[in-house]
């Protein structure tokens, strides 16, 4: 069995396609998926999916790529995270690629999420794009080690992966690792031990090869696992077992 540790199946791209999506999960033996919230406005939809389907989990958080949403407080996040199907705080983090200019608000929002995660004892889902040094520094400064979490859709360097693992974080690979030109990321995936690895789709975007450019969905996480097995020259089952076990170990609120 496989788990998609990060998807956005509430996004409009997948609206009306839920039945087909769940069928492909079954076909590809993807037993669970974590649907990740990006704003408090979309959170009720995310929570609704987790309430409707036993094998779908939810997170609560405000993504760094949304500059114009209301300021979120630690108390709000902790309150919403009290729901039994909400197993993580995020996604949160820093994105210096998509958003430019004065970004102190992004760093403040990130700190709020880490404090909320510590406040409710749930792990963090970290989005880190072109912002390695600041992301790792803030994780350290705010004591994120206490709750741990995952560096989702990882595209950083091996040094950044190592620093995150030293802080107790897992490294999650998406369909990007299947792209032909992602040579340095493939090298990082070879080096990250299976014991610290998760896999994800980040759907509806970033569909893995051979579906690149098409609509992505949780069932396609199988192709990420296949690529990891190829890169590490280990059996597919070993990747499936390790990443599934890591998911349930990290997200203690989830039941296998
Ligand atoms: Zn992200
Ligand atoms: Zn995401």
């Amino acid at each position: 069995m496989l788990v998609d540790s990060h998807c956005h199946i509430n996004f409009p791209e997948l609206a009306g396609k839920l039945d087909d999506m769940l069928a492909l999960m079954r076909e590809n033996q993807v037993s669970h998926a974590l649907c990740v919230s990006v704003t408090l406005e979309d959170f009720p939809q995310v929570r609704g999916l987790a309430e409707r389907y036993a094998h779908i989990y939810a997170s609560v958080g405000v993504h760094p790529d949304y500059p114009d949403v209301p300021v979120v407080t630690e108390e709000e996040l902790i309150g919403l995270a009290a729901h039994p199907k909400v197993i993580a705080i995020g996604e949160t983090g820093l994105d210096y690629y998509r958003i430019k200019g004065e970004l102190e608000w992004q760093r403040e929002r990130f700190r709020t999420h880490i404090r909320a995660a510590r406040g409710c004892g749930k792990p963090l889902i970290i989005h880190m794009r072109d912002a390695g040094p600041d992301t790792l520094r803030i994780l350290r400064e705010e004591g994120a080690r206490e709750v741990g979490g995952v560096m989702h859709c990882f595209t950083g360097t091996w040094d950044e992966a190592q620093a995150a693992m030293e802080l107790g974080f897992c490294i999650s690979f998406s369909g990007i690792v299947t792209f032909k030109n992602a040579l340095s990321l493939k090298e990082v995936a070879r080096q990250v031990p299976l014991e610290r690895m998760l896999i994800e789709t980040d759907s509806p975007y970033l569909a893995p090869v051979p579906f690149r450019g098409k609509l992505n969905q949780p069932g396609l996480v199988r192709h990420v696992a296949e690529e990891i097995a190829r890169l590490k020259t280990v059996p597919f089952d070993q990747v499936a077992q390790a990443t599934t076990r890591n998911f349930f170990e990290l997200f203690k609120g989830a039941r296998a």
Side-chain angles (χ1 to χ4, degrees), residues 63 91 127 152:
H63 193 291
E91 57 185 285
H127 174 106
H152 109 86

Side-chain angles (χ1 to χ4, degrees), residues 6 8 36 38 63-65 91-92 95 125-128 152-153 200 202:
H6 189 117
H8 301 284
V36 174
V38 296
H63 193 291
D65 285 353
E91 57 185 285
T92 181
D95 191 329
I125 300 169
I126 306 295
H127 174 106
M128 174 175 94
H152 109 86
C153 195
E200 66 175 81
D202 208 7

Side-chain angles (χ1 to χ4, degrees), residues 122-176:
K122 296 194 178 182
L124 286 153
I125 300 169
I126 306 295
H127 174 106
M128 174 175 94
R129 190 138 185 229
D130 282 4
D134 278 3
T135 307
L136 293 160
R137 174 176 59 80
I138 290 173
L139 285 173
R140 250 178 242 117
E141 285 174 3
E142 296 291 338
R145 179 193 296 278
E146 189 183 299
V147 287
V150 56
M151 310 305 285
H152 109 86
C153 195
F154 189 78
T155 54
T157 64
W158 168 238
D159 284 349
E160 287 167 348
Q162 270 181 305
M165 289 189 285
E166 276 162 26
L167 282 166
F169 279 69
C170 290
I171 309 294
S172 179
F173 293 96
S174 68
I176 294 176

Side-chain angles (χ1 to χ4, degrees), residues 61-119:
V62 184
H63 193 291
D65 285 353
Y66 294 77
D68 301 321
V69 295
V71 172
V72 62
T73 66
E74 221 178 301
E75 293 71 29
E76 271 177 294
L77 289 168
I78 292 173
L80 296 170
H83 189 286
K85 294 292 298 279
V86 175
I87 60 173
I89 300 292
E91 57 185 285
T92 181
L94 300 176
D95 191 329
Y96 295 172
Y97 177 82
R98 297 275 292 276
I99 308 277
K100 306 286 184 195
E102 171 46 56
L103 294 180
E104 190 52 30
W105 62 268
Q106 229 184 43
R107 290 183 284 273
E108 271 314 304
R109 183 185 289 176
F110 183 28
R111 287 182 193 277
T112 301
H113 281 74
I114 303 171
R115 289 171 194 163
R118 292 182 64 188

